[in-house]
Amino acid sequence: MIQLRRHPRAAAALALVGLLTACGGATTNKDATAIIGALGTNGVPAKLGTVYDENTDPNKLLGRPNGYLSKAEFTDSRVNVDKAGSVEVFEDADGAEARAEYIQALGKTPMLAEYTYVKGNVVVRVDKDMAPSDAKAYEDALNEIVE
């Protein structure tokens, strides 16, 4: 066993690991509208579509317990659908991860499949009709936005 009093660097390293583990990953203070704007400036042609409020949210999760803080849809000229995807912003990374797992479980049904990317407290959902390389560009952009 390491005697931490004799090894201050080891103690500092353990403390840092504990802090990083406790924070649950990266988060952002941006809402879904701002994330879509940032996606558009980070290499993907995302354009803001519908912005939801607690009355118009189709999932009835906005502002509710274990729900997201904001949600908006985006369009992308590379797919021929009304909405190319959506962004959901949660209070913390755990909420975003739980939502992504739920969406991915639903996606086992081919009709409900989609690309789902999570970074910190943000979930980006991209329509399955998007080419895989184009959808991957959303993940890359998300990784630039949420650090």
Side-chain angles (χ1 to χ4, degrees):
M1 179 165 185
I2 298 174
Q3 298 241 345
L4 295 180
R5 278 186 255 146
R6 293 185 188 168
H7 301 285
R9 287 187 184 162
L14 285 173
L16 180 59
V17 168
L19 285 173
L20 292 175
T21 303
C23 74
T27 59
T28 182
N29 292 327
K30 294 178 181 169
D31 66 6
T33 301
I35 296 284
I36 291 171
L39 287 170
T41 60
N42 276 282
V44 293
K47 295 211 185 304
L48 184 62
T50 303
V51 179
Y52 292 102
D53 64 29
E54 63 187 31
N55 297 311
T56 60
D57 175 29
N59 300 311
K60 302 295 183 207
L61 294 173
L62 185 63
R64 291 180 169 85
N66 301 316
Y68 30 79
L69 302 175
S70 65
K71 178 182 173 94
E73 292 179 349
F74 58 87
T75 61
D76 184 315
S77 58
R78 299 173 294 184
V79 290
N80 214 7
V81 293
D82 291 338
K83 72 167 188 153
S86 64
V87 172
E88 300 168 349
V89 180
F90 290 80
E91 185 174 331
D92 57 32
D94 291 339
E97 189 62 42
R99 175 71 170 156
E101 288 173 9
Y102 172 77
I103 293 165
Q104 290 168 346
L106 289 176
K108 293 184 191 263
T109 303
M111 187 171 81
L112 300 175
E114 62 184 32
Y115 302 96
T116 307
Y117 304 112
V118 182
K119 179 71 184 258
N121 62 327
V122 179
V123 176
V124 174
R125 303 168 62 181
V126 179
D127 190 273
K128 68 180 176 187
D129 289 339
M130 182 87 59
S133 59
D134 292 339
K136 174 81 169 82
Y138 277 93
E139 180 181 33
D140 295 342
L142 178 63
N143 286 333
E144 292 295 318
I145 297 164
V146 180
E147 297 183 39

